[in-house]
Every structure is written in structure tokens, then in C-alpha cells.
Amino acid sequence: KSAELKIHKKSVFLHVVFEKEFDDAVPNGTVIGGDRGWTKLLVLSNGKFFGAKAFNHHLAKIRKLRSELQSAAARGSKSAKRHLSRLSGREKRFTADFLHCLANEVLRGMSKGEVLALEDLTDIRKRGNTGFKGKKFRRALNAWAFRKLQEILTYKAIPKGIAIQIVPAHYTSKSCSGCGFCSSQNRPSQNEFKCGECQLSLHADL
């Protein structure tokens, strides 16, 4: 009888770590503000809007599929459990790729010496999980990759000589960027900002 030789193919991954020094960014006096959100992933004070419609739509499809697979897995489906594992990796890869492309687009429009100021959203999940927002909003907020976007922007900005500055987020949604007047009445609707003092009118995120 002839012996059958079975060859098992294995993947080999090489992980390389290296360090490279870059000079600290020297601010040239130009500061661009960035507002991160769920409807608009990022809005810059120079008037650039980076929407999240396609991003959120794709994640919604993944969440729906995950829910269906979890139900099947609960009924004992081994196939559903395997698909859940692969789905998790697919979601992470999609999110990372999307945020990398977004960061590249943002920094491509900036120059060496400029500063990108972002709100400090450290406790946004804690703040978003309280109050009247609702289960759907809280689930979306907890899936929001704002921290990952900040990390990617930070390390991509360093070699370009662009500085990332984190600023307090308190009252920024109610304060006028023109005169500084702060009031809840400045927000007549979710997407509209109209200053009660100097009458400046803009999109709320801008």
C-alpha cells in the first residue's frame, strides 16, 4: 500500500518593531478645531465635513447579522459560533481601514506647523450611557471608535509636523465661536446654531 503524505500549510507572520525620532511640531499659529460625532464623524473649523453615513450603514448591517448569529448560537449552532468569531475580526478590520483613510484625508488638507484641536471625550461613553438618550443611541455610542480615530490622527500627524491638542469639551456646543456668548438658547435645533448675542448662524457641528 502506498503511503499518503499529508501536507499542512501554515502561515508565518513576522512582526517587526522599530523606532524613529521626529522633531517636535513647531506651531505656526494656525489652529483647526475638530468636532467628532456620530452623524458626522468629524467636522473641522475650516468648513470640511466628514460624514459617517456609509460607515454607520455598514456597521448597522454587521450588528444585525451578529444579532441573528447570536440567536442561532444560543440554540446550539456551532456554525453560528464560528461565523460570530469571523464577524468580529471583519468589523475591526473595516473600522480600522475606514478610520485610517479618514485620518489621511484630514491630515492631507493640513500643513506643517498647524495644530488640530480635538475635544476631550474621555468620559463620553459614561455621559452617553446616562439620561434619556435611549437604548439604540447608547448602543451606537458604545460602538463609536472616537478614541481609535484620535490615536490614528496623533501618530500620523507627528511625522508631518502637525500637533494634536486635546481641549476641554464642556459647553463647546453652547458657546459661540464668534463672540464667546454661551447659552443653551444658542441651539434652537440639533443641527442649527444661532448666537443670541451676535446672531452668528452656523451648522451646529461647525
Side-chain angles (χ1 to χ4, degrees):
K1 295 181 179 180
S2 59
E4 182 180 356
L5 178 63
K6 293 183 178 180
I7 300 176
H8 298 277
K9 294 183 179 179
K10 293 185 178 181
S11 298
V12 177
F13 297 93
L14 180 63
H15 185 70
V16 179
V17 178
F18 67 93
E19 293 184 0
K20 186 175 182 179
E21 293 185 359
F22 295 97
D23 293 333
D24 292 335
V26 180
N28 61 12
T30 300
V31 179
I32 297 176
D35 180 82
R36 287 165 289 172
W38 180 247
T39 304
K40 303 291 184 184
L41 272 181
L42 187 65
V43 176
L44 301 182
S45 58
N46 59 11
K48 292 184 178 180
F49 285 69
F50 299 89
K53 186 175 181 180
F55 177 72
N56 291 335
H57 177 70
H58 188 82
L59 288 186
K61 289 173 62 178
I62 292 178
R63 285 195 295 270
K64 181 180 179 181
L65 179 57
R66 181 190 292 114
S67 178
E68 295 171 352
L69 290 172
Q70 286 173 337
S71 298
R75 295 192 297 268
S77 172
K78 294 182 179 179
S79 175
K81 292 179 181 179
R82 290 194 300 270
H83 277 81
L84 274 172
S85 179
R86 289 197 293 268
L87 188 65
S88 177
R90 193 171 110 197
E91 180 179 6
K92 289 178 181 178
R93 289 191 297 274
F94 168 77
T95 301
D97 181 68
F98 187 93
L99 295 179
H100 273 283
C101 291
L102 173 59
N104 289 337
E105 186 65 23
V106 170
L107 297 174
R108 192 177 295 120
M110 296 183 65
S111 302
K112 183 177 181 180
E114 292 185 337
V115 176
L116 176 61
L118 300 173
E119 293 172 301
D120 184 359
L121 301 180
T122 302
D123 297 323
I124 188 65
R125 285 190 172 91
K126 186 185 299 183
R127 285 182 272 137
N129 280 327
T130 60
F132 61 91
K133 300 283 187 167
K135 183 178 179 181
K136 184 177 180 180
F137 175 85
R138 293 195 300 270
R139 185 168 61 247
L141 182 63
N142 286 331
W144 185 28
F146 74 89
R147 185 183 300 277
K148 187 66 176 176
L149 176 58
Q150 180 176 314
E151 292 174 355
I152 294 173
L153 280 169
T154 300
Y155 82 75
K156 284 180 177 288
I158 293 174
K160 295 179 179 295
I162 298 171
I164 303 294
Q165 182 178 351
I166 307 302
V167 299
H170 301 295
Y171 307 113
T172 52
S173 64
K174 303 176 183 178
S175 300
C176 178
S177 59
C179 69
F181 178 66
C182 180
S183 172
S184 59
Q185 300 302 314
N186 288 344
R187 294 289 299 272
S189 67
Q190 182 179 355
N191 295 323
E192 183 184 3
F193 183 96
K194 186 172 183 179
C195 180
E197 188 72 18
C198 70
Q199 303 303 307
L200 176 67
S201 181
L202 292 170
H203 186 283
D205 292 334
L206 183 59

